[in-house]
Amino acid sequence: MEFLVFVGIIILMVLVFDSRSTIASLRNRIAILEDRADQTAVETSQAVATEPTAPAEPEPKPEPVEPVKRAAKEAVKPERVATPAPEPVSRRVYQPTSPPPTPAKGEPKQLRPSAAKRFEDLIGGKLPIWIGGIALIFAGFFLVRFSIEAGLFGPTARCITAALFGLLLIGLSEFGYKIPKFGKIFTDDARIGHSIAGAGIAVLYATLYMASELYQLLGLYTALGGVVAVTILAFVLSQRHGPPTAIMGLLGGFAAPYVAGLGPESVAPLLIYLGVFTAGLFGLAIHRGWAWLALLATGGSVIWTTALLFMDLSGDVPFVGAFIVLLAIGGVLTISRTGTSFGIPKVVMQAIPLGVGLLQLMLLAPLIEFSLMSWLFFGVLAIFAIALAWRDEAMTPAVAGALGLSLAMVATAFYNIYADQMTLFAAIGLTVLFGGAGHIFALREKSGWMWSLIGLSAPTAMLLITAALGDFDWSENIWAGICVATALTTGLMAWRIRAASEPFVQPAASAVSAILIAIALWIWTPDNLAALVAIAVAGGLAAWAGFTQRKSIIVQSALAIGLGGFIMLFNAEGLLEALFGSLVGETDLYRYLPGVGSTAIKLLVPAIAIVAIAYVFRDNFGKVLSKIIAGMGLIATSGFIYLLLKQPVAIGPIEDFVAYGFAERGVFTHLLALGGWLLLRRAWGEKLATPLKSLGLALAGLALARFVYFDILLLSPTNVKQAMGPAPIANLGTLHFVAMTLWLWLYARTETIAAALPRLVRPLEIASLLAAIAAVMVTVRQAVHGTDIATPPFTSTETYLYSAGLLVLAIAWLARGIQTTNALLRIAGLLLLTLVTFKVFLIDAAQLEGILRILSFLGLGIALIGIGWIYGKVMRADTAEATD
């Protein structure tokens, strides 16, 4: 079945090769001639139509009678027509078809025949001839086999009969045109002679194989001489009969061992036969420039060698491997001396034998247990691929393919539990071979980028395969050393191609080097330094990026910092638990916190390193990215500071939270507010202004967020029991809320916020006023109930004091607003005064009786009148100033 498939492929290739160019050339020429004839006829008719009519000639005078009679007699005599002599019958010698002539401008386009016409021409005119030639080959082969099975002839008679049959076919192809009547068949269609000649060559090949292998009638050297003679004969015949004869010879030569019956015991002679036969075909391909013949010859030998690999070859496997290597090298060299075929680029055609050879060696290696012989075979082809690319840069992709197959072969060896010293040495040898070649040719103008990628991939991929599949009981220090050694090679590649214009390979080499160095350092250093190692590698990448001026390496540095940040986040698991616990209102946070010493190494030192890198390489990272990186470091630093601040009080049970929770939270908030205000109010240098003021804004925002979230919403002292202290005004609640009122007002008056965030000034002022109201209410409640202002119920005295305190606050705002001409304070004072007035009339006065109610209304009235009188004077003064 495999043989029939092979025959079908050969037939299709013959048909395509023979019919495509010949038919196209003839039809194109006919179309051009017809178009030219039509164009000439049109031009002639136009010239006749435009030609002026000639004047009528006068009638001739009558001539004498004698001359007229003589002229009539001459007209009656028939003219002698020269008949051409018959052309001698000549042989048709194959000439390669030339491409059709290019039509000149103005000529009509060439017309292609219809699909039906082409199908009819193929099925009716060509297939019968070629199938008939192939049938003659099978007729000769199976005639011999029938004689063997029936015992009609002895071995010698069988071989002589087969040889005579082959010679008869060749004789017919050469001299059949001379046979009377029958010879017209050969002259009418030259393909008949082509087909018969190829069939004769195939029969002769089969005869030689039968005489030498089956019957031992010919010695080894005699048989080889016969094969050489037949190959030469096929070569000579193909000069006259063209590609079909060569293809028929190829078909017969490769089919001969199969028809005769191949046995595993005859591997060596078969390989010698295939070698000589293929070499002859290669020589013919070089002489005629037929790349397709070289590919077919390689394919035939590949089919045989692949079939041999699946047989029980015992000790003959090394011979098969040597033949595979020689076949691949011979196929590549042969194609390099020929042209292209079937529109396939020459480089691709050269890579086909090489790639097939490497694949076959991968199949062969397990049969000999990945011995030294298998690796040597593979190494020879790898060296050959590199040598080809050295001579021709266009062959560089073949080296990349060879590297890929080498890695696959090493992976297969390790996977099949052949992780012995031989496989290890082979992996090292292939790494040195491809890596060294990549470094040597990395600076080539056209293919340098691919060589660089080869030099980078060889050691890196081989290390990954060895680590993943190789069962080597090595210590961690050895693996770290291997990583460093590999990083040296990739780092050298990154240095050598630092000025290359190609945007991918150099950053890739830098990234691989950084990763390998990081892995080695992680192995050699304690686990708590993992984040610091990543940050150190990031710093090296940032410095390298500044040297090479490549943005992609800056991105790598940022990613390394991100990795360090992720490790820091993992190390700060306890801090994160405390943070999330505080956000949901838990009070016992100390149990989540890690140790200070270990956290300083895991978190603080890497955080400081991140901030330092962001500052030193701020020009490389750019403004936005440097801020993001610095922010990561500052957040981590803040986490460590939070851990330190949690240590003195060490709040655990709920009793500790009630006693110290509000005080601790207030200290944290005001420290953040103080730090932010100091950073925002000071005039820093040009280089430090942006990062430090950004940090100040962050601290201020965090302080305000803590105040709103914890002290107003989640853990307000009016809702959650917390100790405020016994002092009426100097208690923690009053001091905390008054301080936040001042911070908000100071932030609103800071030049940095006014310049950078002018829309935030008014909301901060309003928030400060609201915080002042909250401070008054907390002060009143603490004065009535003492240290616990969450659990006691409201009293009427407390309600009156709220009104009094808020009234005092409103008057203070009015007075300060009038004094400073601050419209916001005046308006706020009026609004608060109005609200307090409504409260007094609607709520407070309803609870009083008698003289107390009268006195309260009297005092409120006098106060309101006085305030109105004073405020009216202020408004009139403002109006007068505006008029002036």
Side-chain angles (χ1 to χ4, degrees):
M1 185 63 185
E2 295 84 353
F3 176 70
L4 294 178
V5 173
F6 178 67
V7 171
I9 294 173
I10 298 300
I11 292 172
L12 290 177
M13 295 187 67
V14 170
L15 294 175
V16 171
F17 183 89
D18 183 72
S19 62
R20 184 180 59 178
S21 59
T22 303
I23 293 175
S25 176
L26 292 176
R27 287 175 176 162
N28 290 335
R29 291 181 180 180
I30 292 172
I32 292 172
L33 291 176
E34 290 177 351
D35 293 335
R36 287 180 179 175
D38 295 340
Q39 186 176 3
T40 303
V42 172
E43 293 176 354
T44 304
S45 61
Q46 292 177 353
V48 172
T50 58
E51 185 178 352
T53 306
E57 297 182 359
E59 295 182 1
K61 297 179 179 180
E63 295 182 358
V65 179
E66 289 298 331
V68 174
K69 291 182 177 179
R70 189 180 300 113
K73 290 181 179 179
E74 290 178 359
V76 173
K77 291 181 180 179
E79 295 182 358
R80 290 186 178 181
V81 180
T83 58
E87 295 182 0
V89 180
S90 61
R91 302 178 57 189
R92 295 189 177 184
V93 180
Y94 169 76
Q95 294 293 338
T97 58
S98 59
T102 304
K105 291 184 178 179
E107 293 184 358
K109 295 182 178 180
Q110 303 170 3
L111 300 177
R112 296 185 60 186
S114 63
K117 176 63 177 173
R118 293 197 300 271
F119 178 79
E120 181 181 3
D121 182 68
L122 174 65
I123 300 300
K126 292 180 174 53
L127 277 183
I129 296 175
W130 300 120
I131 295 175
I134 296 172
L136 290 176
I137 298 174
F138 280 100
F141 289 165
F142 289 109
L143 178 62
V144 173
R145 170 160 284 195
F146 175 76
S147 67
I148 294 172
E149 295 174 352
L152 300 177
F153 301 102
T156 304
R158 296 168 188 165
C159 294
I160 293 174
T161 303
L164 291 176
F165 181 68
L167 293 174
L168 175 62
L169 294 176
I170 294 174
L172 280 175
S173 68
E174 289 294 299
F175 307 105
Y177 70 95
K178 294 184 178 182
I179 302 175
K181 296 182 180 181
F182 182 76
K184 186 174 176 56
I185 298 175
F186 294 90
T187 57
D188 287 344
D189 197 330
R191 290 169 300 184
I192 296 176
H194 300 170
S195 176
I196 294 176
I201 292 296
V203 172
L204 290 180
Y205 277 123
T207 302
L208 286 172
Y209 184 80
M210 179 178 60
S212 61
E213 280 297 310
L214 296 182
Y215 305 125
Q216 288 77 41
L217 298 177
L218 300 176
L220 177 61
Y221 297 104
T222 305
L224 290 179
V227 172
V228 172
V230 174
T231 303
I232 294 174
L233 178 60
F235 171 80
V236 173
L237 291 175
S238 65
Q239 304 301 305
R240 298 181 178 179
H241 297 282
T245 302
I247 293 177
M248 287 296 183
L250 179 144
L251 178 63
F254 281 119
Y258 176 81
V259 175
L262 173 68
E265 68 282 354
S266 57
V267 172
L270 174 61
L271 293 177
I272 295 173
Y273 166 77
L274 290 175
V276 176
F277 177 59
T278 306
L281 292 174
F282 284 166
L284 178 60
I286 293 173
H287 180 75
R288 299 297 299 178
W290 290 338
W292 58 267
L293 182 59
L295 281 180
L296 290 180
T298 304
S301 295
V302 166
I303 291 174
W304 271 112
T305 51
T306 304
L308 289 175
L309 292 177
F310 291 97
M311 297 180 182
D312 184 13
L313 302 180
S314 61
D316 294 326
V317 176
F319 296 103
V320 178
F323 182 83
I324 292 172
V325 173
L326 294 176
L327 176 65
I329 295 174
V332 173
L333 295 178
T334 300
I335 295 174
S336 66
R337 301 289 299 275
T338 62
T340 59
S341 184
F342 300 106
I344 303 175
K346 190 173 182 179
V347 174
V348 177
M349 296 182 69
Q350 284 184 267
I352 291 174
L354 181 63
V356 172
L358 291 171
L359 288 173
Q360 285 189 296
L361 290 179
M362 291 182 63
L363 294 175
L364 179 140
L367 300 179
I368 52 180
E369 297 181 352
F370 293 92
S371 63
L372 176 62
M373 185 68 66
S374 64
W375 294 112
L376 288 178
F377 288 151
F378 207 89
V380 169
L381 282 189
I383 294 172
F384 178 68
I386 294 173
L388 284 175
W390 169 59
R391 295 291 301 273
D392 183 4
E393 285 193 61
M395 290 298 296
T396 306
V399 182
L403 171 61
L405 293 176
S406 301
L407 296 173
M409 186 167 175
V410 172
T412 303
F414 284 147
Y415 182 78
N416 290 333
I417 320 177
Y418 289 106
D420 53 5
Q421 297 298 322
M422 179 59 64
T423 306
L424 178 61
F425 289 144
I428 295 173
L430 291 172
T431 301
V432 173
L433 176 63
F434 286 101
H439 280 271
I440 292 172
F441 303 117
L443 299 181
R444 279 191 166 186
E445 182 177 358
K446 295 181 180 179
S447 60
W449 69 271
M450 188 173 293
W451 281 111
S452 303
L453 193 59
I454 291 170
L456 175 65
S457 302
T460 307
M462 200 66 75
L463 173 60
L464 291 176
I465 291 172
T466 304
L469 300 178
D471 187 16
F472 295 105
D473 189 16
W474 293 340
S475 65
E476 291 185 347
N477 289 329
I478 293 177
W479 282 111
I482 295 174
C483 289
V484 171
T486 307
L488 290 177
T489 64
T490 56
L492 178 61
M493 179 64 73
W495 171 262
R496 295 195 70 223
I497 61 174
R498 62 189 181 279
S501 59
E502 200 282 326
F504 171 73
V505 181
Q506 200 276 341
S510 302
V512 171
S513 303
I515 292 172
L516 292 173
I517 291 174
I519 292 174
L521 292 177
W522 279 331
I523 293 175
W524 280 333
T525 56
D527 293 340
N528 55 4
L529 297 180
L532 189 60
V533 167
I535 303 303
V537 172
L541 285 172
W544 177 238
F547 180 77
T548 59
Q549 296 299 315
R550 291 182 181 265
K551 293 183 179 180
S552 55
I553 301 180
I554 281 291
V555 175
Q556 295 174 12
S557 177
L559 291 176
I561 292 175
L563 176 62
F566 179 78
I567 297 174
M568 293 163 61
L569 192 66
F570 179 79
N571 291 334
E573 180 183 2
L575 285 175
L576 292 177
E577 290 179 349
L579 173 63
F580 288 115
S582 65
L583 292 177
V584 297
E586 290 189 28
T587 57
D588 186 8
L589 303 179
Y590 189 76
R591 59 192 177 95
Y592 296 119
L593 299 178
V596 176
S598 61
T599 307
I601 298 175
K602 294 179 180 180
L603 192 64
L604 180 62
V605 176
I608 296 173
I610 288 176
V611 175
I613 290 174
Y615 175 72
V616 173
F617 302 104
R618 60 189 180 278
D619 294 334
N620 295 341
F621 286 111
K623 292 183 179 180
V624 176
L625 189 57
S626 60
K627 287 181 179 180
I628 295 174
I629 294 173
M632 291 175 53
L634 293 174
I635 290 173
T637 305
S638 302
F640 182 76
I641 295 175
Y642 174 81
L643 175 65
L644 290 180
L645 294 176
K646 280 290 186 180
Q647 300 302 313
V649 180
I651 297 175
I654 186 63
E655 294 81 8
D656 294 340
F657 175 77
V658 172
Y660 309 111
F662 187 82
E664 183 188 63
R665 189 167 66 254
V667 170
F668 285 2
T669 301
H670 294 298
L671 285 176
L672 292 172
L674 176 63
W677 181 71
L678 291 175
L679 291 174
L680 291 175
R681 69 182 295 270
R682 182 174 176 180
W684 302 97
E686 182 179 356
K687 294 183 178 180
L688 295 176
T690 300
L692 291 182
K693 289 187 176 182
S694 299
L695 176 61
L697 289 173
L699 294 178
L702 183 60
L704 299 180
R706 283 177 55 86
F707 174 69
V708 173
Y709 183 76
F710 290 111
D711 300 327
I712 302 297
L713 301 176
L714 185 65
L715 297 176
S716 173
T718 59
N719 295 326
V720 180
K721 185 177 181 179
Q722 298 165 82
M724 298 290 100
I729 295 177
N731 61 81
L732 295 177
T734 302
L735 295 176
H736 178 58
F737 280 86
V738 170
M740 287 308 304
T741 301
L742 295 176
W743 286 129
L744 288 167
W745 194 260
L746 289 175
Y747 283 138
R749 293 292 181 269
T750 304
E751 294 182 1
T752 301
I753 293 180
L757 302 169
R759 295 184 179 180
L760 193 61
V761 174
R762 186 64 68 189
L764 287 174
E765 291 177 343
I766 296 173
S768 175
L769 298 178
L770 294 176
I773 295 174
V776 170
M777 298 181 71
V778 168
T779 301
V780 169
R781 186 162 177 79
Q782 192 275 340
V784 174
H785 299 289
T787 187
D788 180 15
I789 63 174
T791 55
F794 287 91
T795 63
S796 58
T797 304
E798 182 179 352
T799 302
Y800 301 147
L801 289 176
Y802 283 143
S803 300
L806 293 176
L807 180 61
V808 172
L809 180 62
I811 295 172
W813 284 352
L814 283 172
R816 183 62 180 169
I818 294 171
Q819 180 183 1
T820 60
T821 67
N822 190 319
L824 177 65
L825 286 177
R826 296 199 304 264
I827 294 173
L830 289 175
L831 289 176
L832 183 60
L833 182 62
T834 303
L835 292 175
V836 171
T837 302
F838 277 108
K839 178 179 180 297
V840 169
F841 278 104
L842 298 178
I843 299 175
D844 298 340
Q847 299 177 3
L848 296 176
E849 295 180 356
I851 191 64
L852 292 177
R853 178 181 297 181
I854 297 173
L855 290 175
S856 64
F857 277 99
L858 179 64
L860 181 62
I862 295 173
L864 291 175
I865 292 171
I867 294 171
W869 175 73
I870 296 172
Y871 198 79
K873 290 183 64 175
V874 173
M875 294 301 296
R876 286 192 296 273
D878 292 341
T879 304
E881 291 179 1
T883 304
D884 295 340

